[in-house]
Amino acid sequence: MRTGTGLDVYLKDASNIDAIKDILKNYKNGRGLVTFKINIVHADFPECDVDVELAERYNISPSIRNAIASLTGVLEAKEI
């Protein structure tokens, strides 16, 4: 199975963080970096992009990407 070097997960909201965690927990000890990307709107900052990079590394594959991309609240999951 081919594995990617990382995964960028673009989120509409954080409603499915636990589901993403459940998917990733079986693929630890890889070399892929997972980064959550979300656009925050706040009164003091008209638009603010926030990146949250997970410390753990994962074995990233198309099937993992597709499973995460199918979740509600995920706009896109892109292998990098």
Side-chain angles (χ1 to χ4, degrees):
M1 166 175 37
R2 180 180 72 83
T3 61
T5 57
L7 187 67
D8 284 345
V9 181
Y10 296 84
L11 299 172
K12 177 180 178 184
D13 56 53
S15 62
N16 270 328
I17 292 294
D18 286 335
I20 295 170
K21 179 181 171 183
D22 286 342
I23 292 168
L24 291 174
K25 72 181 177 185
N26 296 316
Y27 300 97
K28 292 183 177 182
N29 301 318
R31 50 178 211 173
L33 180 66
V34 175
T35 304
F36 294 113
K37 297 178 175 279
I38 190 165
N39 181 269
I40 307 278
V41 178
H42 186 275
D44 294 333
F45 305 101
E47 277 195 50
C48 181
D49 293 326
V50 176
D51 290 1
V52 177
E53 196 173 278
L54 299 182
E56 185 84 39
R57 301 291 176 132
Y58 299 88
N59 290 309
I60 303 301
S61 69
S63 62
I64 293 168
R65 181 198 66 225
N66 293 339
I68 291 173
S70 71
L71 297 172
T72 303
V74 175
L75 299 172
E76 181 182 10
K78 181 169 62 172
E79 280 185 73
I80 54 169

